[in-house]
Amino acid sequence: MAETEDCVGQEPHPVDDDFFKEPMKKRRRSDRDQRFRAFPSVEQSTLKEYEKLESRTRRVLSNTYQKLIQSVFLDDSIPNGVKYLINRLLALIEKPSLDPIYVGLFGSTGAGKSSLINAIIQQAMFLPVSGESICTSCIVQVSSGCCEQYEAKIHLLSNQEWKQELKNLTKLLHRPEQLGREEEDAWDRDDAVEEAIWKLQMVYGNGVERKSYEELLRAKPKGKIPTSRVITLKAEEAGELSLKLDPYIRTQRRGWDEGSAETQIWPLIKLVEVTLPKSELIPEGVVLVDIPGTGDFNSKRDEMWRKTIDKCSVIWLISDIERVSGGRAHEDLLNESIKACQRGFCRDMALVVTKTDKLHLPEYLRERKVGSQAIQSQREAVLERNEMIKLQRNKVLKEKLKRKLPTDSRVLEDSELVYTVSAQEYWQQALLTEEETEIPKLREYIRRRLLDKKRRMVTKYVTEAFGLFLLTDSFSCTDNLPNEHLHVSGLRRFVEEKIQLLEKAIDQCFAHIVQPLQEGVQNARSSYRQILGVCLVRSRGNQGFHQTLKAVCLKNGIYASRTLGRIDLNEAITQPIYEQIDPVFGGIFRSGKPSDGSALMPHIDAFKRSLQEKMTEIGIRNGWKYDSYKKSFLIQEISAILGGLEGHILRRKRRIYESLSTSVQNDLKPCYEEAAQITGKKACERMKDVLRRGLDQQVDEGMFERAQERMQHQFHQLKMRKRRQREVYQEVTQLNGITEKVKGSVTTMLTLASSQGDGLYKELADVKSECKEMEKLHRSLREVAENALLRRGMQDFLLRMSPSKSGPPKTWI
């Protein structure tokens, strides 16, 4: 599954001998038009204008690329300027039109995630739903495309991944000898034991829980497992695909009959991708992700669970109306969602309260403390209660986010952080209108973010392409430029000085994390024993916890249980450090402009502006009149190069944030391995003793201080790191640090700009027509943006003038 990456303004490809390959094929116009079906007519017009701009830009780039390739195809030696230009053109041509927006629906068992997706896509029972029990058993992604049929791809664990799970499951099921009656009963009731038996019986049949790992490797699964490890289902109608898909993604309850062949491979499924044809409700480019609340015992599925959360740019925390006011499960999920904002790509988050039609009127009226107006009906009570929930939870959520995130975080700017929805009323409309169920509001939420992302993407794309054509025109200039080289040389010296200042500014920025880290380490040292004690205590003592603790140790401190929730000892132990660093960490990666210099991106933006201002100053002072195109190219290209750094930084952010818990996990690994081998009488207490002693020893030896050092080292690597890696055709230097990437890219660009006469050939004069076309497209950007604002203003005016849709029809006398 591809990772989400910010491709805007990415660094040019390294020069190699493979730049003669063909660009990817253009999308057919009929396919492009289908992408807008989910938008109102006003937004469709705006999207079509941006799509047309992008399409025409890609066509101009492709034509130019072909002309350049033809002109140098037979040449033995190709000038550096041409190589640079060809690679940059190819990079832009192959840049994806738009990375998907992943909307993660994150909630506990029975919260209504699947029901909500069904309502949003207008398919009542498409995904399996159930009252209070776990229904969806794996990560399910739902998106729309231009396919003619409904389609689902079911991805299974690889053979090696399943072997690793088998090994861990059989270790859990190894019953210790010489157990007493009480210990045997506790072992049988253990959550991890029950789940392990359940999985093995589903795949291999009854009685297999007594078999060894080697015997299970030779056993034949009951269900058919394709060698490709992918099952593809297709259907003409949604209901038909739903019936085919249901056995694969519905959690099979323990004690049920064996069921169909499809249910028998359920434990091997790690991901299901569903594609709807030409949806009029969900735009292409949006992926709704049903995310189970706890992760999974299998390492690969658990890794995918965490990565799926981290790649979501929007997270909806789903909570039942009866559970939203508290509870450990809700708080754990909220904390996990906030962490996604810290370590991943998430910029938007909302609390979606489900099942809001549920209300016991007599009880509500007795406890009602607000409003003087009498409640006349169930509907009025539901609407009033929902509005109260919004006000209360919006305040609580904002206060919690402010403690964890920077004050200028995008999510804190949203006036609406809470939505009260009812999937049942969306279909029945017995109490509420369609608008009052707020399902349409969530669809608008999705469309608005996709439209905004498309606008920003096309604007950057056209601007970057325009910069390349400025370079082409500069090479085509045949005038004598006696002082040009001197100007660029002076600019190079200026750049080197500014890079040194940038390094100092980044050091000062990262220095803000040191004191909170130190304070967090002290807090962790004083509280780790208490935290571990809480993690190791269950309501029934050791009953039903023996093998669960063994599962925790087998997985190096992490166990995702469907009944006990997610247990992560490493994260719990480092939580006092995270509580200290969270606001500062978020501040370092914010996009605002704090006065204390703690944010990273403003320093990079200031560096970019200083370069651009210097180039303009040199041009004015020294009369850079003969090559104004070159000056403009330098300004545009610097913007493109530095713009790509934001995506690079976001991709590294997760590794930095998780370095604390990862460091602790690595240091405690010998303790986990020793505890996992313990069997026999009082094994649970002996495992706990091993963990306590091992943790004490590691803390005494500086475990938390090492974690601090490793995080600071990760920050240093983000600033400056260079490593070598072998690519397909040649070994290249991979510049991973911020300053190294800036040095490499800007130096290459300035070297190119300082060249005279070795750029292009006279045969390339015919690209001037493409240059003129690109100039027109660049000017069109402002016109398209102005048109979009005008349409939006007209739409808002008409909505204000129209009768309200939120209540029952009015009677006019």
Side-chain angles (χ1 to χ4, degrees):
M1 184 173 55
E3 291 294 317
T4 304
E5 295 187 356
D6 188 344
C7 295
V8 176
Q10 66 185 19
E11 195 176 355
H13 287 326
V15 175
D16 56 41
D17 297 328
D18 194 41
F19 58 75
F20 294 104
K21 66 179 181 180
E22 291 290 324
M24 61 182 177
K25 295 181 179 179
K26 294 183 289 185
R27 181 192 290 264
R28 291 181 302 171
R29 179 175 299 177
S30 59
D31 290 343
R32 291 199 303 267
D33 291 343
Q34 296 293 342
R35 303 172 70 188
F36 310 134
R37 291 164 60 98
F39 290 89
S41 58
V42 170
E43 294 175 353
Q44 281 191 28
S45 300
T46 299
L47 277 168
K48 286 179 180 178
E49 286 190 347
Y50 277 114
E51 187 84 0
K52 185 178 179 181
L53 260 181
E54 181 191 350
S55 177
R56 289 173 62 187
T57 300
R58 289 185 182 275
R59 185 175 67 246
V60 173
L61 290 170
S62 183
N63 291 343
T64 306
Y65 176 87
Q66 295 295 337
K67 288 184 178 181
L68 293 181
I69 288 295
Q70 291 170 9
S71 67
V72 301
F73 186 73
L74 299 178
D75 292 342
D76 295 329
S77 178
I78 303 174
N80 288 333
V82 181
K83 289 181 181 179
Y84 182 91
L85 186 57
I86 287 176
N87 279 305
R88 289 289 283 113
L89 283 168
L90 185 60
L92 274 176
I93 291 168
E94 295 193 334
K95 181 177 287 187
S97 180
L98 189 68
D99 287 326
I101 293 179
Y102 288 88
V103 181
L105 283 77
F106 194 43
S108 56
T109 301
K113 301 185 296 294
S114 298
S115 297
L116 181 57
I117 290 178
N118 289 341
I120 290 173
I121 67 175
Q122 195 81 11
Q123 300 291 342
M125 297 296 292
F126 188 73
L127 297 180
V129 296
S130 180
E132 299 298 319
S133 62
I134 302 172
C135 207
T136 307
S137 61
C138 58
I139 296 172
V140 180
Q141 297 183 175
V142 180
S143 60
S144 69
C146 292
C147 54
E148 296 297 325
Q149 292 181 305
Y150 292 84
E151 182 177 304
K153 287 188 177 180
I154 301 161
H155 301 266
L156 307 181
L157 293 171
S158 69
N159 189 47
Q160 192 60 38
E161 290 164 356
W162 177 243
K163 284 182 179 179
Q164 185 59 47
E165 173 139 340
L166 271 183
K167 185 177 292 186
N168 288 326
L169 291 175
T170 51
K171 285 181 180 178
L172 284 178
L173 294 178
H174 178 69
R175 183 186 288 268
E177 298 178 359
Q178 299 178 343
L179 288 179
R181 174 67 62 88
E182 185 178 336
E183 288 179 312
E184 282 190 3
D185 291 343
W187 194 91
D188 289 334
R189 290 195 300 270
D190 192 285
D191 174 78
V193 170
E194 290 182 356
E195 190 159 334
I197 293 173
W198 180 34
K199 285 183 176 180
L200 291 179
Q201 289 180 347
M202 286 293 295
V203 178
Y204 297 106
N206 293 329
V208 294
E209 64 272 16
R210 304 182 190 93
K211 295 183 180 292
S212 68
Y213 170 65
E214 289 74 18
E215 290 174 320
L216 286 173
L217 286 179
R218 295 190 295 269
K220 184 178 180 180
K222 294 189 299 180
K224 184 179 179 181
I225 302 174
T227 55
S228 65
R229 316 299 281 199
V230 177
I231 300 171
T232 302
L233 307 174
K234 294 185 178 182
E236 296 292 334
E237 302 293 335
E240 182 186 353
L241 182 68
S242 178
L243 289 174
K244 292 180 179 180
L245 186 61
D246 188 283
Y248 291 101
I249 61 176
R250 182 186 291 275
T251 298
Q252 304 304 315
R253 296 178 184 174
R254 303 170 205 187
W256 280 18
D257 293 335
E258 291 187 359
S260 64
E262 291 87 353
T263 65
Q264 294 163 359
I265 64 169
W266 164 78
L268 282 80
I269 298 172
K270 61 181 178 183
L271 170 69
V272 175
E273 295 178 297
V274 180
T275 306
L276 313 176
K278 307 173 184 176
S279 173
E280 295 187 2
L281 298 170
I282 300 300
E284 184 181 349
V286 171
V287 183
L288 300 175
V289 191
D290 187 340
I291 306 175
T294 58
D296 197 274
F297 176 64
N298 175 266
S299 298
K300 193 65 179 179
R301 276 199 296 258
D302 197 62
E303 178 188 358
M304 182 172 290
W305 175 81
R306 178 62 64 86
K307 286 185 175 181
T308 299
I309 295 172
D310 287 348
K311 77 179 181 181
C312 290
S313 54
V314 176
I315 287 183
W316 289 345
L317 178 59
I318 313 299
S319 183
D320 186 331
I321 185 71
E322 295 178 348
R323 305 179 189 179
V324 72
S325 295
R328 178 180 171 183
H330 174 78
E331 287 300 311
D332 288 346
L333 292 171
L334 176 57
N335 290 331
E336 191 66 42
S337 301
I338 294 174
K339 286 176 186 175
C341 295
Q342 291 280 28
R343 68 177 182 245
F345 285 85
C346 182
R347 298 289 182 88
D348 286 316
M349 188 178 124
L351 172 63
V352 180
V353 185
T354 58
K355 307 177 185 179
T356 57
D357 57 288
K358 293 166 65 175
L359 181 141
H360 186 248
L361 187 57
E363 181 179 336
Y364 176 75
L365 292 176
R366 185 176 65 249
E367 297 179 354
R368 181 172 176 255
K369 299 177 181 178
V370 298
S372 56
Q373 186 176 355
I375 293 292
Q376 301 294 329
S377 65
Q378 179 93 0
R379 176 179 180 277
E380 289 181 3
V382 167
L383 290 175
E384 182 183 81
R385 189 273 320 270
N386 290 353
E387 193 61 31
M388 286 170 46
I389 288 287
K390 276 189 177 185
L391 292 173
Q392 293 169 359
R393 301 315 300 176
N394 193 77
K395 181 180 179 181
V396 171
L397 183 55
K398 269 202 171 173
E399 287 176 353
K400 181 143 192 172
L401 290 172
K402 284 178 181 178
R403 291 196 299 269
K404 295 284 187 177
L405 301 176
T407 54
D408 60 350
S409 296
R410 178 174 172 177
V411 66
L412 293 175
E413 296 173 359
D414 291 337
S415 57
E416 236 177 335
L417 288 177
V418 181
Y419 296 83
T420 51
V421 304
S422 171
Q424 180 171 316
E425 276 299 298
Y426 176 77
W427 300 111
Q428 298 178 356
Q429 296 186 27
L431 287 175
L432 307 176
T433 66
E434 181 177 307
E435 292 294 326
E436 288 166 346
T437 66
E438 299 203 349
I439 300 296
K441 188 179 285 189
L442 290 180
R443 291 182 186 138
E444 182 186 359
Y445 181 110
I446 293 170
R447 291 196 305 266
R448 190 167 63 247
R449 275 149 183 79
L450 185 66
L451 181 60
D452 181 61
K453 187 172 183 179
K454 183 68 175 179
R455 175 188 59 77
R456 288 184 284 109
M457 175 266 163
V458 173
T459 300
K460 290 185 178 181
Y461 189 80
V462 174
T463 302
E464 191 174 346
F466 178 61
L468 281 183
F469 279 94
L470 291 174
L471 173 63
T472 305
D473 257 15
S474 112
F475 280 140
S476 301
C477 181
T478 58
D479 295 329
N480 294 323
L481 308 172
N483 296 320
E484 201 72 9
H485 182 71
L486 295 176
H487 300 327
V488 177
S489 298
L491 183 58
R492 185 180 289 110
R493 289 193 298 271
F494 176 81
V495 169
E496 290 172 355
E497 293 172 0
K498 285 295 181 180
I499 287 177
Q500 292 177 2
L501 293 175
L502 177 62
E503 289 180 355
K504 292 180 180 178
I506 293 174
D507 283 336
Q508 293 172 1
C509 171
F510 291 166
H512 284 80
I513 201 74
V514 175
Q515 184 176 347
L517 267 174
Q518 293 172 343
E519 294 173 355
V521 165
Q522 293 303 315
N523 293 346
R525 288 183 66 90
S526 62
S527 61
Y528 75 90
R529 289 182 181 176
Q530 180 183 356
I531 293 172
L532 181 64
V534 171
C535 292
L536 297 182
V537 170
R538 288 294 177 267
S539 60
R540 294 176 295 171
N542 293 336
Q543 295 182 17
F545 188 58
H546 174 190
Q547 294 303 93
T548 296
L549 182 56
K550 188 166 189 174
V552 171
C553 295
L554 282 171
K555 305 305 291 184
N556 292 324
I558 302 173
Y559 174 57
S561 165
R562 294 182 181 275
T563 55
L564 295 178
R566 186 175 183 85
I567 302 171
D568 190 334
L569 295 185
N570 313 299
E571 203 165 85
I573 292 167
T574 53
Q575 190 57 36
I577 309 179
Y578 282 115
E579 288 176 356
Q580 286 296 121
I581 71 166
D582 273 352
V584 179
F585 187 92
I588 289 174
F589 294 98
R590 72 180 123 179
S591 56
K593 301 177 181 179
S595 57
D596 60 359
S598 61
L600 178 59
M601 287 311 298
H603 290 302
I604 296 174
D605 290 339
F607 172 77
K608 177 181 71 175
R609 287 194 301 272
S610 67
L611 261 62
Q612 293 173 337
E613 289 169 1
K614 185 66 175 178
M615 284 183 282
T616 302
E617 176 192 328
I618 291 175
I620 294 173
R621 186 174 66 242
N622 297 301
W624 212 345
K625 59 184 178 181
Y626 292 106
D627 209 354
S628 60
Y629 283 131
K630 186 171 290 185
K631 179 193 70 176
S632 299
F633 157 73
L634 290 172
I635 292 174
Q636 295 282 3
E637 197 70 353
I638 281 178
S639 186
I641 290 169
L642 297 181
L645 279 177
E646 184 174 6
H648 166 78
I649 290 168
L650 286 175
R651 288 188 288 275
R652 292 290 301 277
K653 184 173 70 166
R654 177 189 175 194
R655 186 184 303 173
I656 297 172
Y657 188 78
E658 293 182 342
S659 61
L660 293 175
S661 57
T662 301
S663 175
V664 166
Q665 183 182 47
N666 290 336
D667 286 351
L668 291 178
K669 189 173 182 180
C671 308
Y672 292 136
E673 291 174 348
E674 180 184 351
Q677 300 302 317
I678 294 175
T679 59
K681 288 187 176 182
K682 299 189 180 298
C684 191
E685 278 303 324
R686 288 157 55 205
M687 281 193 287
K688 291 180 180 180
D689 288 340
V690 166
L691 291 176
R692 292 188 189 104
R693 289 197 310 270
L695 183 54
D696 284 340
Q697 180 182 346
Q698 288 296 325
V699 171
D700 290 341
E701 294 175 358
M703 179 182 74
F704 292 124
E705 288 77 9
R706 286 193 297 274
Q708 175 187 342
E709 291 172 2
R710 285 164 181 164
M711 174 171 271
Q712 289 180 238
H713 179 66
Q714 287 286 340
F715 273 111
H716 179 74
Q717 284 190 315
L718 177 61
K719 184 191 81 170
M720 183 182 296
R721 183 187 178 198
K722 183 186 291 186
R723 65 182 174 87
R724 299 187 71 81
Q725 68 176 20
R726 183 167 295 279
E727 292 197 345
V728 179
Y729 296 104
Q730 61 178 352
E731 190 177 87
V732 299
T733 298
Q734 185 72 23
L735 304 173
N736 282 339
I738 294 172
T739 55
E740 293 296 337
K741 289 174 78 71
V742 170
K743 284 179 184 177
S745 301
V746 175
T747 299
T748 300
M749 184 192 63
L750 291 178
T751 300
L752 175 63
S754 65
S755 61
Q756 297 181 43
D758 66 343
L760 303 182
Y761 299 106
K762 292 180 181 178
E763 291 83 352
L764 296 182
D766 60 356
V767 299
K768 286 186 176 180
S769 61
E770 281 79 10
C771 290
K772 291 180 179 178
E773 175 69 12
M774 197 65 242
E775 191 174 354
K776 292 179 182 177
L777 292 173
H778 188 252
R779 286 199 304 266
S780 299
L781 275 175
R782 177 176 293 182
E783 181 182 343
V784 171
E786 289 173 349
N787 289 344
L789 285 174
L790 181 61
R791 292 192 193 98
R792 184 72 182 185
M794 293 175 62
Q795 182 186 45
D796 291 343
F797 173 77
L798 292 174
L799 286 174
R800 288 195 301 270
M801 298 299 292
S802 63
S804 173
K805 298 179 181 179
S806 60
K810 295 181 180 179
T811 302
W812 298 92
I813 299 177

